[in-house]
Coordinates of all heavy atoms in Angstrom, one line a residue:
P1 N 0.9 -1.2 -0.1 CA 0.0 0.0 0.0 C 0.9 1.3 0.0 O 2.0 1.3 0.6 CB -0.8 -0.2 1.2 CG 0.0 -0.9 2.1 CD 0.8 -1.9 1.3
A2 N 0.4 2.3 -0.7 CA 1.0 3.5 -0.8 C 0.8 4.3 0.6 O -0.2 4.0 1.3 CB 0.4 4.5 -1.8
P3 N 1.7 5.1 1.1 CA 1.5 5.8 2.3 C 0.3 6.7 2.2 O -0.1 7.2 1.1 CB 2.9 6.8 2.3 CG 3.7 6.2 1.4 CD 2.9 5.5 0.3
V4 N -0.3 6.9 3.3 CA -1.4 7.9 3.5 C -0.6 9.2 3.9 O 0.1 9.3 4.8 CB -2.4 7.6 4.6 CG1 -3.4 8.7 4.8 CG2 -3.0 6.2 4.2
E5 N -0.7 10.2 2.9 CA 0.0 11.4 3.2 C -1.0 12.6 3.3 O -1.9 12.8 2.4 CB 1.0 11.7 2.0 CG 2.1 10.5 1.8 CD 3.1 10.7 0.8 OE1 2.8 11.5 -0.3 OE2 4.2 10.1 0.8
N6 N -0.6 13.4 4.2 CA -1.4 14.7 4.5 C -3.0 14.4 4.5 O -3.6 15.2 3.9 CB -1.0 15.7 3.4 CG 0.5 15.9 3.4 OD1 1.1 16.2 4.5 ND2 1.1 16.0 2.4
Q7 N -3.3 13.4 5.2 CA -4.7 13.3 5.4 C -5.3 14.3 6.3 O -4.7 14.6 7.4 CB -5.1 11.9 6.0 CG -6.6 11.6 6.3 CD -6.9 10.3 6.7 OE1 -6.0 9.6 7.3 NE2 -8.0 9.8 6.5
P8 N -6.3 15.1 5.8 CA -6.8 16.3 6.6 C -7.3 15.9 7.9 O -8.0 14.9 8.1 CB -7.8 16.9 5.7 CG -7.6 16.3 4.4 CD -7.0 15.0 4.6
V9 N -7.0 16.7 8.9 CA -7.7 16.6 10.3 C -9.1 17.4 10.2 O -8.9 18.6 9.9 CB -6.6 17.1 11.4 CG1 -7.4 17.0 12.7 CG2 -5.5 16.2 11.4
T10 N -10.1 16.7 10.5 CA -11.4 17.4 10.4 C -12.0 17.5 11.8 O -11.6 16.7 12.9 CB -12.3 16.6 9.5 OG1 -12.2 15.3 9.9 CG2 -11.8 16.6 8.0
P11 N -13.0 18.4 12.0 CA -13.7 18.5 13.3 C -14.1 17.1 14.0 O -14.1 16.9 15.1 CB -14.8 19.5 13.1 CG -14.2 20.3 12.0 CD -13.5 19.4 11.1
F12 N -14.8 16.4 13.1 CA -15.1 15.0 13.4 C -14.3 14.0 12.6 O -14.1 14.3 11.4 CB -16.7 14.7 13.1 CG -17.6 15.6 13.9 CD1 -18.5 16.3 13.3 CD2 -17.5 15.6 15.3 CE1 -19.4 17.1 14.0 CE2 -18.4 16.4 16.0 CZ -19.3 17.1 15.3
M13 N -13.8 13.0 13.3 CA -13.0 11.9 12.6 C -13.5 10.6 13.0 O -14.0 10.4 14.1 CB -11.5 12.0 12.7 CG -10.9 13.3 12.1 SD -9.1 13.5 12.2 CE -8.7 12.3 10.8
I14 N -13.4 9.5 12.1 CA -14.0 8.2 12.4 C -12.8 7.3 12.4 O -11.9 7.2 11.5 CB -14.9 7.8 11.3 CG1 -16.2 8.8 11.3 CG2 -15.3 6.5 11.4 CD1 -17.1 8.6 10.2
L15 N -12.7 6.5 13.5 CA -11.8 5.4 13.7 C -12.6 4.1 13.4 O -13.5 3.8 14.1 CB -11.1 5.4 14.9 CG -10.1 4.3 15.2 CD1 -8.9 4.4 14.2 CD2 -9.7 4.3 16.6
E16 N -12.4 3.4 12.3 CA -13.3 2.3 11.9 C -12.4 1.1 11.8 O -11.3 1.1 11.2 CB -13.8 2.6 10.5 CG -14.5 1.6 9.8 CD -13.6 0.5 9.1 OE1 -12.7 0.9 8.4 OE2 -14.0 -0.7 9.1
G17 N -13.0 -0.1 12.4 CA -12.4 -1.3 12.4 C -12.5 -2.1 13.7 O -13.0 -1.7 14.6
V18 N -12.2 -3.5 13.5 CA -12.2 -4.3 14.6 C -11.2 -3.8 15.7 O -10.1 -3.5 15.4 CB -11.9 -5.7 14.2 CG1 -11.8 -6.7 15.5 CG2 -12.8 -6.3 13.2
S19 N -11.8 -3.5 17.0 CA -11.1 -3.1 18.0 C -10.9 -1.6 18.1 O -10.0 -1.1 18.8 CB -9.8 -3.8 18.3 OG -8.7 -3.3 17.5
S20 N -11.7 -0.8 17.3 CA -11.5 0.6 17.3 C -12.0 1.3 18.6 O -11.7 2.4 18.8 CB -12.2 1.2 16.0 OG -13.6 0.9 16.1
S21 N -12.6 0.4 19.4 CA -13.0 1.0 20.7 C -12.4 0.3 21.9 O -12.9 0.1 23.0 CB -14.5 1.0 20.9 OG -15.1 -0.4 20.7
R22 N -11.3 -0.2 21.5 CA -10.4 -1.0 22.5 C -10.1 -0.1 23.7 O -10.1 1.2 23.6 CB -9.1 -1.4 22.0 CG -8.1 -0.5 21.4 CD -6.9 -1.1 20.8 NE -6.3 -2.1 21.5 CZ -6.2 -3.4 21.2 NH1 -6.7 -3.8 20.1 NH2 -5.6 -4.2 22.0
P23 N -9.9 -0.6 24.9 CA -9.7 0.2 26.1 C -8.5 1.2 26.0 O -8.6 2.4 26.5 CB -9.4 -0.9 27.2 CG -10.0 -2.2 26.7 CD -9.9 -2.0 25.3
E24 N -7.4 1.0 25.2 CA -6.4 1.8 25.1 C -6.7 3.1 24.4 O -6.1 4.1 24.3 CB -5.2 1.1 24.4 CG -4.6 0.0 25.1 CD -5.3 -1.4 24.9 OE1 -6.3 -1.4 24.2 OE2 -4.8 -2.4 25.4
F25 N -7.9 3.1 23.6 CA -8.2 4.2 22.8 C -9.4 5.0 23.6 O -9.7 6.2 23.0 CB -8.8 3.7 21.5 CG -7.9 3.2 20.5 CD1 -8.4 2.3 19.4 CD2 -6.5 3.3 20.7 CE1 -7.4 1.9 18.7 CE2 -5.6 2.7 19.9 CZ -6.0 2.0 18.8
L26 N -9.9 4.6 24.6 CA -11.1 5.2 25.1 C -10.9 6.7 25.7 O -11.8 7.5 25.5 CB -11.5 4.4 26.4 CG -12.1 3.0 26.1 CD1 -12.7 2.4 27.4 CD2 -13.2 3.1 25.0
D27 N -9.6 7.1 26.0 CA -9.4 8.4 26.3 C -9.5 9.3 25.2 O -9.6 10.6 25.2 CB -8.1 8.6 27.0 CG -8.2 8.1 28.4 OD1 -9.2 7.9 28.9 OD2 -7.0 7.8 28.9
F28 N -9.4 8.7 23.9 CA -9.5 9.6 22.7 C -10.8 9.5 22.0 O -11.0 10.2 21.0 CB -8.4 9.0 21.7 CG -7.1 9.0 22.3 CD1 -6.5 7.8 22.7 CD2 -6.2 10.2 22.5 CE1 -5.2 7.7 23.4 CE2 -5.0 10.1 22.9 CZ -4.4 8.8 23.4
I29 N -11.7 8.6 22.3 CA -13.0 8.4 21.6 C -14.1 9.1 22.3 O -14.4 9.0 23.5 CB -13.2 6.9 21.6 CG1 -12.1 6.2 20.9 CG2 -14.6 6.6 20.9 CD1 -11.9 6.4 19.4
A30 N -14.9 10.0 21.6 CA -16.1 10.8 22.2 C -17.3 9.9 22.1 O -18.1 10.1 22.9 CB -16.1 12.0 21.4
F31 N -17.4 9.0 21.0 CA -18.7 8.3 20.8 C -18.2 6.9 20.2 O -17.4 7.0 19.3 CB -19.6 9.1 20.0 CG -21.0 8.6 20.0 CD1 -21.9 8.9 21.0 CD2 -21.5 7.7 19.0 CE1 -23.2 8.4 21.0 CE2 -22.8 7.2 19.0 CZ -23.7 7.6 19.9
S32 N -18.9 5.9 20.7 CA -18.6 4.5 20.0 C -19.9 3.9 19.6 O -20.9 4.0 20.2 CB -17.9 3.7 20.9 OG -18.7 3.3 22.0
I33 N -19.7 3.3 18.3 CA -20.8 2.6 17.8 C -20.3 1.2 17.5 O -19.2 1.0 17.2 CB -21.2 3.2 16.3 CG1 -21.8 4.5 16.6 CG2 -22.2 2.2 15.7 CD1 -22.1 5.2 15.1
F34 N -21.2 0.2 17.9 CA -20.9 -1.2 17.7 C -21.9 -1.7 16.6 O -23.0 -1.5 16.8 CB -21.0 -2.1 18.9 CG -20.6 -3.5 18.7 CD1 -19.3 -3.9 18.8 CD2 -21.5 -4.5 18.4 CE1 -18.9 -5.2 18.7 CE2 -21.2 -5.8 18.1 CZ -19.9 -6.2 18.4
V35 N -21.3 -2.3 15.5 CA -22.3 -2.9 14.4 C -22.4 -4.3 14.8 O -21.4 -5.1 14.6 CB -21.6 -2.6 12.9 CG1 -22.5 -3.2 11.9 CG2 -21.3 -1.1 12.8
D36 N -23.6 -4.7 15.0 CA -23.9 -6.1 15.5 C -24.5 -6.8 14.3 O -25.6 -6.5 13.9 CB -24.9 -5.9 16.5 CG -25.0 -7.3 17.4 OD1 -24.2 -8.2 17.3 OD2 -26.2 -7.4 18.1
T37 N -23.7 -7.8 13.9 CA -24.2 -8.6 12.7 C -23.8 -10.1 13.0 O -22.8 -10.4 13.6 CB -23.3 -8.3 11.4 OG1 -23.5 -6.8 11.2 CG2 -23.8 -8.9 10.1
P38 N -24.8 -11.1 12.8 CA -24.4 -12.4 13.0 C -23.1 -12.9 12.5 O -22.8 -12.5 11.4 CB -25.6 -13.2 12.5 CG -26.7 -12.2 12.5 CD -26.0 -10.8 12.2
K39 N -22.4 -13.7 13.1 CA -21.0 -14.1 12.7 C -21.0 -14.9 11.4 O -20.1 -14.8 10.6 CB -20.2 -14.9 13.7 CG -19.8 -14.2 15.0 CD -19.2 -14.9 16.0 CE -17.9 -15.7 15.6 NZ -17.2 -16.4 16.7
A40 N -22.2 -15.6 11.1 CA -22.2 -16.4 9.9 C -22.3 -15.4 8.7 O -21.7 -15.6 7.7 CB -23.3 -17.3 9.9
E41 N -23.0 -14.3 8.9 CA -23.2 -13.4 7.9 C -21.8 -12.6 7.7 O -21.4 -12.3 6.5 CB -24.2 -12.4 8.2 CG -24.5 -11.2 7.2 CD -24.9 -11.8 5.7 OE1 -25.2 -12.9 5.5 OE2 -24.9 -10.8 5.0

């Protein structure tokens, strides 16, 4: 993959992916969403 270069910092930003609300990130996260989908799907 190419480097991500100069990605703008915006007033709201989204951290997306498995473990994005892990305990180590909680001091940085203002709001968390969990997408609940059956594992088979």
Side-chain angles (χ1 to χ4, degrees):
V4 173
E5 295 181 339
N6 300 313
Q7 182 176 18
V9 173
T10 51
F12 296 125
M13 293 188 77
I14 298 170
L15 182 63
E16 172 276 323
V18 177
S19 81
S20 61
S21 59
R22 64 185 306 116
E24 294 86 354
F25 295 161
L26 294 183
D27 288 342
F28 305 103
I29 303 297
F31 192 86
S32 63
I33 296 175
F34 186 85
V35 182
D36 195 17
T37 305
K39 285 176 70 173
E41 177 62 10

